[in-house]
Amino acid sequence: MIGSLTEPQRRNVIGAHSGAYALLRALAIASGSLSPAHKPDLADTHPAVPIGPHPQWTEPGKIVSLDPWGHVAAEAFAADIRDGLDIRPTIAVTRAFLHFPELREAIAAGRLRPDARILRDDGEVACVKVAVEPVWHLPGIAERCGIDESVLRRALFSQSGGMFPELVTRDDLEVFLPPIGGTTLYIFGDIEAIADPGRPLACRVHDECNGSDVFGSDICTCRPYLTHGVEVCIETAQAGGAGLIAYNRKEGRGLGEVTKFLVYNARKRHKDGDTAANYFARTECVAGVQDVRFQELMPDVLHWLGITRIDRFVSMSDMKYEPLVRQGIEVVERVPIPDELIPADARVEIDAKKAAGYFSPEPTDVDLNNVKGRDWDSASS
């Protein structure tokens, strides 16, 4: 895929690299701080750990919203890049350590035990971190969403104010690089365990909530559920498997923070108070819709990792569970957030989601030490 602008005649995609940051790059060029002819030096940027290929990468319809080969573009097209072609990765894989005060609390409470490999005594946890930019195969996106491709192209063109005319003038170009946020993956434990259905895998698919995830707002359960997901992932990784957090940039159910904060105001000022009954109604009044996260596209990044089975899915959301099952991923256990982690001000959110059918009423149970009939504590030791 060639989405750079240095040689327009060679472009074979609509849009530009860098997702939501493409327009900031344009501003940098306009201000003179970035040369429009700059080509990245990709020396030593190769993935810190190998990922794939997996069978899902070439199975029609399995992956439509990212480029499964995006992390090896610099190696796969090294000769073309040396010849001057501007080809850029859309996925990057590195290693990192994470710090959560909640993990230190889990260690102090005896829920987690440091092992010096995954989790250290100070609560620091080792992981593989993956950044994924969106790459849309328009025919596949249309099929996944159950609409005609021409309808999709026209909507993308008109609702972006005509920003990408090739959407309606170049039906020979099937790939679109949308200016939206992507996904970051945090992988704990043995990365090879992720694609092995005979080893336990825990997974939390988490949609961005900056106010809670970063700043600790207690009006929702986002950070508590995220940190609980990390805890479950560490526990599963220590039992001989792996844990995965898929963090999607879909702030405010895909509606954005401005809409989100407007809805907060509308809920708090409602004549009947902030209740579960008017929770989603106020969102619809402001945004016209309750949710635009389009979870039908969410399983793609799990297919990229080769996942066919999730033993512990840290979510009770049917909106996340059902697309996974429809895409052929088996989910064994659905792990709820512990009641004691729900902030008092977030009870309205939980009650509203239950009433609206967001959540299944009861979790399922799985014995982590007997997945596929094996003793994981013994296997990991």
Side-chain angles (χ1 to χ4, degrees), residues 180-233:
I180 60 174
T183 298
T184 308
L185 305 175
Y186 299 87
I187 301 168
F188 307 91
D190 183 0
I191 196 167
E192 294 183 358
I194 289 180
D196 184 350
R199 300 173 69 181
L201 173 65
C203 174
R204 164 96 183 140
V205 175
H206 190 91
D207 295 327
E208 181 181 27
C209 178
N210 185 64
S212 178
D213 297 342
V214 179
F215 292 99
S217 170
D218 63 357
I219 198 171
C220 64
T221 60
C222 294
R223 182 178 174 92
Y225 223 148
L226 174 61
T227 57
H228 176 58
V230 173
E231 186 174 330
V232 173
C233 285

Side-chain angles (χ1 to χ4, degrees), residues 52-133:
H54 296 291
Q56 294 95 320
W57 291 18
T58 55
E59 187 174 342
K62 280 291 185 184
I63 298 177
V64 299
S65 62
L66 60 91
D67 174 13
W69 305 92
H71 58 313
V72 294
E75 293 76 48
F77 297 100
D80 299 285
I81 292 172
R82 284 195 298 269
D83 289 341
L85 206 55
D86 191 356
I87 300 174
R88 307 187 183 193
T90 57
I91 299 175
V93 184
T94 189
R95 292 185 182 274
F97 287 93
L98 306 181
H99 299 265
F100 286 95
E102 290 89 344
L103 295 184
R104 292 196 293 271
E105 294 169 5
I107 293 172
R111 297 195 307 272
L112 288 177
R113 291 175 296 174
D115 62 354
R117 182 177 68 92
I118 298 171
L119 182 64
R120 296 179 176 177
D121 291 339
D122 62 358
E124 186 177 67
V125 59
C127 74
V128 170
K129 188 164 59 172
V130 184
V132 183
E133 289 181 2

Side-chain angles (χ1 to χ4, degrees), residues 87-295:
I87 300 174
R88 307 187 183 193
T90 57
I91 299 175
V93 184
T94 189
R95 292 185 182 274
F97 287 93
L98 306 181
H99 299 265
F100 286 95
E102 290 89 344
L103 295 184
R104 292 196 293 271
E105 294 169 5
I107 293 172
R111 297 195 307 272
L112 288 177
R113 291 175 296 174
D115 62 354
R117 182 177 68 92
I118 298 171
L119 182 64
R120 296 179 176 177
D121 291 339
D122 62 358
E124 186 177 67
V125 59
C127 74
V128 170
K129 188 164 59 172
V130 184
V132 183
E133 289 181 2
V135 179
W136 287 5
H137 180 243
L138 293 172
I141 293 283
E143 182 177 359
R144 187 77 64 82
C145 294
I147 58 177
D148 187 82
E149 184 185 346
S150 63
V151 173
L152 172 64
R153 285 174 173 267
R154 174 60 62 178
L156 291 171
F157 170 71
S158 61
Q159 295 304 310
S160 65
M163 185 180 294
F164 304 101
E166 297 95 338
L167 286 166
V168 292
T169 62
R170 294 288 305 275
D171 58 6
D172 60 309
L173 298 180
E174 295 187 340
V175 175
F176 177 42
L177 305 178
I180 60 174
T183 298
T184 308
L185 305 175
Y186 299 87
I187 301 168
F188 307 91
D190 183 0
I191 196 167
E192 294 183 358
I194 289 180
D196 184 350
R199 300 173 69 181
L201 173 65
C203 174
R204 164 96 183 140
V205 175
H206 190 91
D207 295 327
E208 181 181 27
C209 178
N210 185 64
S212 178
D213 297 342
V214 179
F215 292 99
S217 170
D218 63 357
I219 198 171
C220 64
T221 60
C222 294
R223 182 178 174 92
Y225 223 148
L226 174 61
T227 57
H228 176 58
V230 173
E231 186 174 330
V232 173
C233 285
I234 293 171
E235 181 185 32
T236 307
Q238 290 177 327
L244 168 67
I245 301 292
Y247 193 91
N248 299 306
R249 294 320 192 281
K250 299 177 182 178
E251 178 68 61
R253 301 193 205 102
L255 298 169
E257 271 196 320
V258 170
T259 295
K260 183 178 182 178
F261 290 4
L262 293 174
V263 171
Y264 282 168
N265 287 344
R267 282 171 46 198
K268 292 174 182 178
R269 293 167 178 163
H270 193 272
K271 60 183 178 61
D272 296 326
D274 190 9
T275 65
N278 65 54
Y279 184 91
F280 288 112
R282 302 314 299 157
T283 301
E284 287 198 47
C285 286
V286 175
V289 65
Q290 291 183 8
D291 196 307
V292 293
R293 284 176 289 182
F294 288 96
Q295 301 291 14

